[in-house]
């Protein structure tokens, strides 16, 4: 029970921190809509993209959801650095709960923020002409939760190895953009050159975007079961590795 209470308390703190900043929620929804409406319309008018109702805008719609999850979860790792600088992290570390529970609580809180944004985007599917069924909506929420936990763990892992916000942002700039561009969010992953296809399938977000595209648009390059298995394994791996590194780092500082 103390472990569950500790996880719940940390999750609640992270969630309240996100909900209190309504401007953050607004900008996190407006930005992907701008991608869909401006980038999707502009590039969609330059290329012919048939086979999907809604055209190119509908094709990149699952990818933009993946982009929103990626940016929200990884950059939320900054909260660890802020807590460390303001001394709040030391108070958490002396609490009678395990280090993995601390990481899990923060991951769930970060994942909740990404889930809120993902649900809003799912409800706005009509903007790009996508018909969202109840079954697709529910399955998409499950996939968003799994993807969020994986990249939240990655963000916490990087934050546990970084001392400053500047260093964190520098590392993120070299990680986030390649992960997004190689995920197939903006282009089909089939028919690519061998070297590029190899890089694409090393990207965990590729499987998340493909799973969302399979559920929402009924089109995918990989079986849904395989994509779900990969993103689930990635989420578990990131949670365990970030918990291990977080424990080593914070014990060394105390």
């Amino acid at each position: 029970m103390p472990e569950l209470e500790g996880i719940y308390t940390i999750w609640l703190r992270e969630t309240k921190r996100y909900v209190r900043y309504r401007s953050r929620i607004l900008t996190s929804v407006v930005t992907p809509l701008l991608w869909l409406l401006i980038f999707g319309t502009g590039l969609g008018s330059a290329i012919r993209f048939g086979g999907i109702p809604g055209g190119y805008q509908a094709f990149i719609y699952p990818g933009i959801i993946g982009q929103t999850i990626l940016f929200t979860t990884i950059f939320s790792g900054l909260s660890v650095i802020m807590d460390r600088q303001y001394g709040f992290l030391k108070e958490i570390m002396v609490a009678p709960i395990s280090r993995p529970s601390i990481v899990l609580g923060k991951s769930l809180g970060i994942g909740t923020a990404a889930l809120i944004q993902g649900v809003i985007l799912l409800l706005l599917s009509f903007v790009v002409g996508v018909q969202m069924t109840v079954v697709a909506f529910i399955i998409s929420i499950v996939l968003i939760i799994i993807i969020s936990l994986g990249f939240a763990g990655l963000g916490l892992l990087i934050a546990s190895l970084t001392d400053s916000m500047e260093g964190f942002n520098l590392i993120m700039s070299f990680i986030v953009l390649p992960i997004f561009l190689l995920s197939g969010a903006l282009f089909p992953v089939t028919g690519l050159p061998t070297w590029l296809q190899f890089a694409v399938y090393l990207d965990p977000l590729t499987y998340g975007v493909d799973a969302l595209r399979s559920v929402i648009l009924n089109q995918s390059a990989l079986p849904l079961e395989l994509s779900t298995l990969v993103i689930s394994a990635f989420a578990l791996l990131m949670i365990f590795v970030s918990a291990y590194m977080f424990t080593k780092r914070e014990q060394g500082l105390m």
Side-chain angles (χ1 to χ4, degrees):
M1 289 301 296
E3 295 291 322
L4 293 177
E5 290 177 1
I7 293 172
Y8 170 76
T9 302
I10 296 172
W11 166 82
L12 185 62
R13 178 178 180 268
E14 294 294 323
T15 303
K16 285 184 175 181
R17 172 186 286 181
Y18 173 76
V19 173
R20 283 175 180 170
Y21 295 99
R22 297 182 181 179
S23 59
R24 182 181 172 188
I25 301 176
L26 179 62
T27 55
S28 62
V29 174
V30 170
T31 301
L33 286 178
L34 290 176
W35 271 85
L36 287 170
L37 297 178
I38 299 177
F39 185 84
T41 302
L43 191 57
S45 62
I47 60 176
R48 292 186 177 181
F49 205 91
I52 299 177
Y56 184 69
Q57 281 184 322
F59 174 79
I60 67 172
Y61 173 63
I64 297 304
I65 295 177
Q67 177 208 44
T68 304
I69 296 170
L70 174 68
F71 279 66
T72 300
T73 51
I74 290 192
F75 279 103
S76 291
L78 278 171
S79 64
V80 174
I81 299 176
M82 293 176 62
D83 289 344
R84 185 185 296 130
Q85 291 181 347
Y86 290 115
F88 182 79
L89 192 58
K90 288 185 178 181
E91 298 180 9
I92 298 179
M93 296 300 290
V94 299
I97 57 174
S98 64
R99 304 300 187 267
S101 294
I102 295 174
V103 172
L104 182 57
K106 293 190 77 68
S107 298
L108 289 174
I110 294 170
T112 301
L115 177 62
I116 293 172
Q117 297 176 24
V119 169
I120 294 174
L121 290 176
L122 289 174
L123 293 174
L124 295 175
S125 61
F126 64 89
V127 174
V128 292
V130 173
Q131 298 293 327
M132 183 67 63
T133 65
V134 176
V135 174
F137 185 81
I138 295 174
I139 297 177
S140 297
I141 288 177
V142 175
L143 292 173
I144 288 173
I145 293 173
I146 299 173
I147 299 169
S148 300
L149 288 176
F151 286 104
L154 178 59
L156 293 175
L157 171 62
I158 297 172
S160 67
L161 301 173
T162 310
D163 292 320
S164 65
M165 295 183 185
E166 293 78 9
F168 181 88
N169 289 327
L170 183 62
I171 295 174
M172 286 299 95
S173 64
F174 286 101
I175 293 179
V176 173
L177 191 59
I179 290 177
F180 170 60
L181 293 178
L182 290 172
S183 67
L186 304 178
F187 55 83
V189 297
T190 55
L192 298 174
T194 304
W195 67 271
L196 183 56
Q197 202 164 45
F198 178 76
V200 163
Y201 286 121
L202 284 178
D203 184 353
L205 187 60
T206 298
Y207 301 90
V209 170
D210 196 70
L212 287 172
R213 191 168 283 142
S214 175
V215 172
I216 297 173
L217 303 178
N218 198 26
Q219 293 197 9
S220 63
L222 299 167
L224 177 60
E225 295 79 8
L226 174 61
S227 296
T228 305
L229 178 63
V230 172
I231 59 176
S232 299
F234 174 73
L236 290 174
L237 177 63
M238 287 297 99
I239 294 295
F240 281 115
V241 173
S242 60
Y244 173 76
M245 295 304 298
F246 182 82
T247 300
K248 287 192 63 177
R249 171 63 188 273
E250 301 306 328
Q251 283 181 340
L253 292 177
M254 292 182 66

